[in-house]
């Protein structure tokens, strides 16, 4: 006979698996919409995002002149540069640009590494939200 404390863990795991598969939802969400270069620029210029990158929670601000302020939570902001290249957002660095595909999924902005296809969610904040 299973121990009573194992049932909730099993049930939670089963529910998570069903939700991940899209079962148990009356309406399946549409696939995230890929953004064009023009849409990326319109969405980011003069605005900020808040999101998670690995285990780091951060905010970034995207200035119209191509500078960006990146601030991990609890740390000072760092200045960098950004641009739109084709239909990708690119973080500009001396050692080479790091470019990402961007998608909209409802109110979420999703960043995708084009090589690994790893996705990172974020939310757009109107205006400058860095420093915190």
């Amino acid at each position: 006979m299973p121990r009573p404390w194992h049932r909730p863990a099993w049930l939670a795991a089963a529910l998570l698996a069903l939700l991940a598969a899209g079962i148990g939802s009356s309406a399946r969400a549409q696939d995230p919409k890929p953004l064009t270069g023009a849409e990326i620029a319109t969405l980011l210029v003069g605005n900020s995002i808040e999101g998670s990158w690995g285990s780091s929670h951060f905010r970034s601000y995207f200035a119209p002149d191509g500078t960006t302020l990146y601030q991990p939570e609890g740390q000072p902001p760092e200045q960098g540069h950004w641009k739109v290249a084709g239909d990708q957002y690119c973080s500009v660095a001396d050692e080479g640009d790091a470019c990402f595909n961007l998608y909209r999924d409802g109110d979420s902005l999703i960043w995708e590494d084009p090589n690994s296809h790893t996705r990172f969610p974020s939310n757009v904040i109107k205006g400058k939200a860095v420093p915190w």
Side-chain angles (χ1 to χ4, degrees):
M1 178 169 203
R3 294 184 182 142
W5 59 84
H6 285 169
R7 283 189 183 163
W10 175 86
L11 183 57
L15 288 174
L16 283 173
L18 289 173
L19 288 174
I23 301 170
S25 170
S26 59
R28 176 128 171 114
Q30 294 180 347
D31 288 334
K33 176 190 176 292
L35 297 181
T36 65
E39 291 170 323
I40 292 168
T42 298
L43 185 63
L44 294 182
V45 169
N47 291 319
S48 302
I49 62 161
E50 183 172 344
S52 295
W53 190 264
S55 62
S56 174
H57 191 75
F58 71 93
R59 284 188 180 176
S60 286
Y61 169 70
F62 305 93
D65 67 358
T67 58
T68 185
L69 290 175
Y70 170 79
Q71 185 178 21
E73 190 171 30
Q75 297 180 29
E78 302 169 16
Q79 185 172 324
H81 293 78
W82 73 284
K83 67 180 181 181
V84 174
D87 290 332
Q88 291 184 317
Y89 163 89
C90 296
S91 179
V92 180
D94 291 337
E95 57 275 356
D97 299 348
C99 297
F100 298 87
N101 302 318
L102 270 63
Y103 299 84
R104 282 304 292 229
D105 189 6
D107 291 335
S108 294
L109 177 63
I110 299 169
W111 302 71
E112 179 187 65
D113 179 322
N115 299 315
S116 69
H117 301 288
T118 303
R119 292 184 173 186
F120 302 92
S122 67
N123 293 304
V124 177
I125 302 169
K126 294 286 185 191
K128 186 177 180 183
V130 176
W132 291 38

